Amino acid sequence: MNLEILGISVLWIFLFGYVIVASIDFGAGFFNAYSLLTNRSHILTEIIKRYLSPVWEVTNVFLVFFFVGIVGFFPQTAFYYGTVLLVPVSISLILLAVRGSYYAFESYGSTGHKGYAFAYGVAGLLIPASLSVVLTISEGGFIEIVNGKPVLDYWKLYTNPLSWSIVLLSIAAVLYISAVFLTWYAWKAKDKKASDLMRRYALIWAAPLIITAVGIVIEMRGHNEEHYERMVSLWPMFGLSGILFLLTVWFIWRKRNYGLSVILLILQFALAFFSYGASHYPYLLYPYLTIHDGFTNEEMAIALVIAFIAGLCLLLPSIYLLFRLFLFNKDYVTGERNDHA
Amino acid sequence: MINESAVFWSRVLTEVTLSFHIIYATIGVGIPLMIMIAQWVGYKNNDEHYILLARRWTRGFVITVAVGVVTGTAIGLQLSLLWPNFMELAGQVIALPLFMETFAFFFEAIFLGIYLYTWDRFDSQKKHMLLLIPVAIGASMSAVFITIVNSFMNAPQGFEILDGELVNIQPLIAMFNPAMPTKVAHVLVTAYMTSAFILASITAVRFLKGSDHIYHKKAMYLLMKLGLIFSIASALIGDFSGKYLAEYQPEKLAAAEWHFETEKGAPLTLFGVLDGEEIKYKITVPYALSILAHSNPNAEVIGLNEFPEDEIPPLYIHYLFNIMVFIGMLMVLVSLVYLMAKSRRWAFIKTKWFNWVVVLGGPLSIIAIEAGWWLAEVGRQPWILRGLMRTEQGATTSDNVDLMLVLFCILYLVLGIGSIIVLRRMFRSNPIEKEIADRESEKGGIAR
C-alpha cells in the first residue's frame, strides 16, 4: 500500500467518524425541536442533553481533522476546492457556528427558548445538506477551468437532480442514524417512552433512506459513467450493506437487540461509505485531480504519517476514557449521576 | 489573473475573523492554566475557596470555548477558501504543525468534556485535578503549533525553489524557523497574562459592587501574582522579539519605530504623529533602539530607506507598537503596585479608583493583544510569505467575498453579544455567597 492510499484512507475514516457522530448530534437537535413543536419535549429533551453534553465539542474536531488533513496530504485540493467552495462552505460554517455556540449557551447559560430550539433543529438539517454539495461537485461536471482558475457553475449545480438526491440522502441518513442510536441510548437509560418514540422515527426514516440511496446509483449512470461502472463492480459490498440495513430495521421493528442494531447500522454505513470512496478512486475531483497528482511531497507525507500515529496513541486511550465515563457508565446514562460543573 | 476586489475583501474578512477569534482563543489558552493553578492551590491547602474558584471559572470558560471552537473552525476553513494558492504551497511545507494542532485540540476537547462532567464523581480532588493537565497542555500546545505556522509565514524556510517547483522539503526545518521561538513564547505568556488580568478585572467588579467576601480577596491576590509574573515575562520576550526583528525582518522593526536612516546609536521614537515626512510630538530616547535591537547602544540599525518602496509595510504600525508596549508596561506597574501595597498593608488598593484601574486592566490587555497581532501581521505586508509570495498572489479569485464578509460580521456580532449575555446571566443568578451556601447544605445531606 502506498502513502497516497494510506493518506486518503485515514482521512476517509475520520470523515466517516464525523458522519456518524455528527448525524447523531444533528438528528438529535431536529428531534428535540420537533418534539417541542408537538409538545412531547418532556420525553426526549433530558435523554438528548445527557448524551450530547460531554461530546459536542469532540464532534467538531472530527471535521477539523478531516479538512486540515486533506490540505496536508493533498495540498492541491486547497486550490481547486478552496477556490470554488467559498459560498457553500461559508454558509455551512455560519450554520455550524450558530449551532455549536447555541448548544453551549443554552445548556450552561439560559433556560429553554422555543424559537432558538427550532432554529437549532433546522440548522442541524441544513448543515449536512450544505456540506454534501462537496460530494456532488467531486463527481465532476460542475467546474470549468477559465484562465487557469476553476469556476463553479451554480446554475448547473442547483438544477441537477443528482445534487438534490444527495441532499435528500444526507438528510434522511442523518435522521435515520440519529433515531436508531437514540432508540438504543434511551432504552439503555431505561426510558421506555423516549425509546419507543425514537423507534417510531427510526422506522419512518428507513424508507426515504433506501429510496434516495438507490436513486443516486441510477442517476450516477447518466452523470459519470466511469464512476457508475466502478460502483457496479463493487456490488457485493453495496449488497451486503443493504442486507445489514434490512436486519437493523427488522430488529427495531421486533423491538429486539437495540445494541446490536446500532452496531449493524454502523457497519452498514461503513460498508456503503468505504465502497463509495473506493469507487471514487483515483479521483479527488473528477476529472481534474487524482489522488496521485494531488499528493504532497514524500517528506511531508512521512512526517504526517508519523504525527498521525503519535497523535492516535494519545487519542485512542482518551476516547476510550470518555466512553467509559459517559456512554458506558450505567449511572450516568440512567441519570443517577449528574456531576456537571 | 488577480481579482483585485477579492484580494481586498479576503484581507478584510481574514482580519475580522482573526481579530474576533483571538479574543476567545487567548482566553482559551490562558484560562485553563489559571483553573489548574487554582485547583492545585485548593487541593494543596485543602481550601474549598480555591476549588470553587476553579469551578466557577470553568463554567464561564465553557461559553468562551464554544465561541473559540466555532470561530477557530471558521478561520481554519477560511484559510483554504480565501487563500487557496497560499494554502496549496503552504500545505506542502507547513502542513505538519497544522495537523498536529488538531490533535492538541482533540485532546483538550475530550478532557475538558470529562473534567466538566465529573465534578463530584471522584473521591479525591486529586484525580479530578489530574484531568486539567491535558486540558491546559492541549490548550497551550494548540497555540504553539498554530503560532509555528504563523512564524513560518514570517520566516519561510525548509524548502528550495527550482524552476518554480518546490524541492528538498524538510518539514522540521520549516517548523523550527528563526521566528518561531520568540513568537511562540510571546503568544503563550501574553495569553496567560491577559487571562490573569481579565479574571482580576471581573474580581474587581465584585469589589466595586460592594462584596467583601474572602473568596474574592484570595482570587485577587492569586491573580495579581500570576499577572505580575507573566507581564514581566511578556516584556522580556517582547525584547527578544525586537532583537529577532532587527536580525531577520529589519523592515518590520524600522516601520514600527519610524526609523528611516540607517545609523549607529539609533534613538527610539515614542508616540508622535507622522505628518508627511516629519514626525511631530514625539519623545525620543537616545540609543534605545540600538539597545532594543542589538543590546548595544552603538550598534547599527537598518532604516526603512534601504528597502524598495513596494516592499515596506504601512507606517501606521508604529501606533500599534506604542499601544501594545504602553499597556504591557502599565500592567506590570499595576500588579507590582498591588502586591507591594498588599505586603505593606497600604489601604489605597481598596479604594474605588484603584479597583477601577484593575477593572480596566482586562479589556486593556485584550486591546494590547489585538494591537500586537495587527502589528505582527500588517508589519509583514506586502508579503503573505515574506520574501516569497505577495499577498495578492495567495488570494482567491472567486467573487462574492464581500457578501461573505457581511454574513460573517453578523455572525460575530451575534456570537459576541450572545456570549456576554449568557456569561452575565450565569454569574448574576448564582453569586458566590449563594453557591457556598448551597454546597454547605449539600454536604450536610439536606439536598443531594
Side-chain angles (χ1 to χ4, degrees):
Chain A
M1 191 159 78
N2 54 20
L3 283 173
E4 289 99 301
I5 308 274
L6 179 69
I8 196 71
S9 307
V10 164
L11 295 173
W12 206 240
I13 289 169
F14 271 82
L15 189 61
F16 179 69
Y18 181 68
V19 167
I20 296 295
V21 290
S23 294
I24 296 172
D25 185 332
F26 295 155
F30 177 79
F31 290 127
N32 185 36
Y34 182 72
S35 68
L36 265 174
L37 280 185
T38 52
N39 287 322
R40 277 182 287 202
S41 62
H42 53 283
I43 306 179
L44 286 184
T45 303
E46 261 308 298
I47 280 286
I48 289 173
K49 215 170 189 172
R50 214 177 298 151
Y51 164 73
L52 283 185
S53 296
V55 299
W56 63 269
E57 255 193 297
V58 181
T59 308
N60 209 43
V61 194
F62 276 94
L63 178 67
V64 176
F65 189 97
F66 176 75
F67 71 69
V68 170
I70 199 156
V71 173
F73 278 105
F74 304 96
Q76 283 192 20
T77 53
F79 172 69
Y80 283 98
Y81 283 110
T83 306
V84 296
L85 288 176
L86 177 72
V87 176
V89 173
S90 291
I91 292 172
S92 313
L93 271 176
I94 289 171
L95 291 169
L96 274 171
V98 168
R99 245 189 91 83
S101 54
Y102 166 74
Y103 184 76
F105 289 3
E106 175 70 24
S107 23
Y108 303 96
S110 63
T111 46
H113 183 287
K114 263 195 184 182
Y116 292 149
F118 188 66
Y120 181 71
V122 173
L125 288 191
L126 293 177
I127 294 166
S130 62
L131 283 176
S132 65
V133 170
V134 182
L135 285 181
T136 318
I137 290 173
S138 76
E139 292 302 334
F142 303 106
I143 290 178
E144 259 183 89
I145 304 286
V146 181
N147 292 334
K149 303 282 175 190
V151 176
L152 181 63
D153 187 340
Y154 284 102
W155 177 248
K156 222 166 158 185
L157 183 68
Y158 291 130
T159 52
N160 195 300
L162 181 68
S163 331
W164 293 106
S165 312
I166 291 182
V167 166
L168 288 179
L169 175 68
S170 69
I171 293 176
V174 159
L175 294 173
Y176 175 72
I177 292 173
S178 182
V180 172
F181 177 86
L182 289 171
T183 307
W184 169 71
Y185 192 79
W187 172 79
K188 237 187 93 173
K190 301 207 170 67
D191 189 339
K192 195 170 172 314
K193 265 189 173 165
S195 182
D196 285 348
L197 188 59
M198 289 319 298
R199 173 181 164 268
R200 251 184 52 208
Y201 294 148
L203 292 173
I204 289 171
W205 287 100
L209 173 74
I210 207 71
I211 294 168
T212 46
V214 173
I216 283 168
V217 178
I218 295 167
E219 271 159 34
M220 200 69 92
R221 187 178 198 169
H223 189 83
N224 181 344
E225 194 154 354
E226 227 181 296
H227 191 180
Y228 172 76
E229 268 158 25
R230 279 193 304 268
M231 277 171 98
V232 170
S233 72
L234 286 171
W235 72 267
M237 296 296 163
F238 288 106
L240 191 56
S241 170
I243 293 171
L244 292 176
F245 167 75
L246 291 176
L247 276 175
T248 315
V249 175
W250 169 254
F251 283 135
I252 302 249
W253 177 260
R254 300 298 307 263
K255 300 192 183 179
R256 285 202 316 215
N257 302 44
Y258 288 151
L260 183 64
S261 302
V262 171
I263 296 171
L264 290 178
L265 164 97
I266 292 174
L267 283 177
Q268 172 215 333
F269 274 90
L271 266 176
F273 194 79
F274 287 99
S275 308
Y276 170 81
S279 70
H280 213 288
Y281 177 85
Y283 291 104
L284 288 170
L285 172 62
Y286 183 85
Y288 301 111
L289 189 61
T290 69
I291 70 172
H292 302 294
D293 29 86
F295 197 56
T296 188
N297 56 83
E298 207 183 323
E299 291 84 354
M300 181 53 83
I302 293 169
L304 288 178
V305 169
I306 293 171
F308 175 73
I309 292 169
L312 225 49
C313 293
L314 275 178
L315 206 58
L316 290 178
S318 321
I319 292 185
Y320 172 74
L321 184 65
L322 185 75
F323 274 29
R324 228 194 60 171
L325 287 172
F326 299 105
L327 204 53
F328 299 130
N329 183 294
K330 228 175 101 205
D331 288 346
Y332 179 79
V333 175
T334 53
E336 273 165 37
R337 287 213 76 95
N338 183 11
D339 301 318
H340 65 82
Chain B
M1 196 191 74
I2 287 163
N3 180 343
E4 290 285 345
S5 87
V7 176
F8 176 75
W9 293 118
S10 295
R11 288 186 60 187
V12 177
L13 179 49
T14 309
E15 177 167 4
V16 170
T17 302
L18 275 174
S19 300
F20 187 73
H21 176 63
I22 54 170
I23 299 174
Y24 293 88
T26 303
I27 295 172
V29 171
I31 299 230
L33 187 75
M34 306 299 139
I35 298 172
M36 193 172 95
I37 291 171
Q39 179 96 12
W40 186 71
V41 174
Y43 163 72
K44 273 272 157 204
N45 303 340
N46 204 5
D47 187 333
E48 184 79 358
H49 285 139
Y50 288 99
I51 303 265
L52 265 175
L53 210 55
R55 188 170 189 161
R56 288 171 69 87
W57 287 345
T58 308
R59 253 185 250 141
F61 177 61
V62 177
I63 303 299
T64 60
V65 164
V67 180
V69 167
V70 296
T71 52
T73 310
I75 188 64
L77 266 165
Q78 276 177 2
L79 279 179
S80 294
L81 295 173
L82 300 175
W83 310 97
N85 299 301
F86 160 69
M87 280 304 274
E88 188 190 357
L89 190 145
Q92 297 179 55
V93 190
I94 199 72
L96 183 61
L98 215 55
F99 195 61
M100 285 158 92
E101 197 234 346
T102 57
F103 277 109
F105 179 30
F106 232 131
F107 206 48
E108 183 196 349
I110 289 173
F111 282 93
L112 182 65
I114 297 177
Y115 177 74
L116 266 175
Y117 287 92
T118 52
W119 201 280
D120 292 319
R121 189 180 288 199
F122 304 111
D123 297 330
S124 84
Q125 277 293 330
K126 189 178 173 186
K127 261 191 195 167
H128 195 233
M129 190 186 78
L130 289 178
L131 291 169
L132 276 172
I133 297 172
V135 178
I137 291 179
S140 293
M141 284 317 278
S142 53
V144 169
F145 290 128
I146 207 67
T147 312
I148 288 177
V149 176
N150 180 271
S151 56
F152 170 80
M153 295 160 83
N154 282 280
Q157 64 169 35
F159 62 98
E160 283 165 48
I161 298 178
L162 204 70
D163 304 327
E165 295 267 323
L166 292 179
V167 291
N168 201 11
I169 289 167
Q170 294 163 297
L172 288 178
I173 305 285
M175 275 176 74
F176 293 98
N177 56 66
M180 176 248 174
T182 44
K183 258 204 187 252
V184 167
H186 198 61
V187 164
L188 282 182
V189 291
T190 51
Y192 301 147
M193 162 188 159
T194 305
S195 301
F197 287 126
I198 287 176
L199 293 171
S201 135
I202 296 169
T203 309
V205 170
R206 292 285 119 217
F207 288 137
L208 283 173
K209 291 247 162 107
S211 174
D212 195 27
H213 203 284
I214 180 82
Y215 165 91
H216 295 307
K217 288 180 183 161
K218 286 178 181 171
M220 184 61 102
Y221 187 53
L222 176 69
L223 289 167
M224 281 298 179
K225 270 194 285 189
L226 292 171
L228 180 67
I229 294 168
F230 291 123
S231 54
I232 291 176
S234 304
L236 274 177
I237 296 164
D239 180 58
F240 294 147
S241 305
K243 292 181 172 44
Y244 156 79
L245 286 180
E247 185 78 26
Y248 292 92
Q249 265 178 296
E251 76 280 11
K252 191 193 262 184
L253 184 71
E257 298 302 343
W258 287 345
H259 180 61
F260 296 100
E261 297 294 335
T262 302
E263 60 184 321
K264 288 183 178 165
L268 183 70
T269 306
L270 284 179
F271 308 107
V273 179
L274 199 62
D275 185 12
E277 296 272 291
E278 207 184 334
I279 308 169
K280 286 181 178 166
Y281 316 115
K282 66 173 173 181
I283 299 172
T284 311
V285 187
Y287 303 109
L289 186 57
S290 287
I291 296 174
L292 176 75
H294 300 287
S295 306
N296 173 0
N298 288 315
E300 185 179 79
V301 182
I302 300 171
L304 266 184
N305 294 346
E306 307 288 321
F307 298 92
E309 201 139 303
D310 65 339
E311 285 184 16
I312 57 173
L315 291 177
Y316 72 79
I317 61 173
H318 176 72
Y319 303 117
L320 301 171
F321 180 81
N322 280 337
I323 293 171
M324 173 183 81
V325 172
F326 178 74
I327 294 175
M329 290 301 151
L330 179 76
M331 293 322 290
V332 172
L333 196 71
V334 170
S335 47
L336 190 67
V337 165
Y338 176 90
L339 290 173
M340 276 176 60
K342 192 88 187 166
S343 71
R344 308 211 171 156
R345 298 182 186 283
W346 292 340
F348 75 89
I349 49 169
K350 289 182 185 155
T351 56
K352 245 186 178 167
W353 70 266
F354 190 82
N355 273 315
W356 267 111
V357 173
V358 179
V359 169
L360 286 177
L364 280 177
S365 303
I366 296 258
I367 290 172
I369 292 273
E370 296 279 2
W373 269 115
W374 292 330
L375 163 71
E377 295 302 279
V378 179
R380 84 181 135 92
Q381 291 307 315
W383 305 106
I384 190 165
L385 277 173
R386 184 186 174 269
L388 276 176
M389 185 187 248
R390 294 177 76 97
T391 305
E392 60 269 19
Q393 295 168 321
T396 183
T397 47
S398 49
D399 298 319
N400 302 322
V401 185
D402 46 353
L403 183 67
M404 296 302 116
L405 173 67
V406 175
L407 291 181
F408 277 103
C409 283
I410 297 171
L411 172 72
Y412 301 145
L413 200 68
V414 170
L415 291 180
I417 295 173
S419 54
I420 292 169
I421 292 178
V422 170
L423 281 171
R424 282 174 64 117
R425 195 181 295 164
M426 204 160 159
F427 290 99
R428 259 210 198 140
S429 63
N430 190 17
I432 182 65
E433 289 82 0
K434 181 165 172 279
E435 185 158 359
I436 290 175
D438 285 353
R439 278 192 76 76
E440 267 161 16
S441 68
E442 245 176 57
K443 273 192 192 147
I446 299 160
R448 168 71 191 158

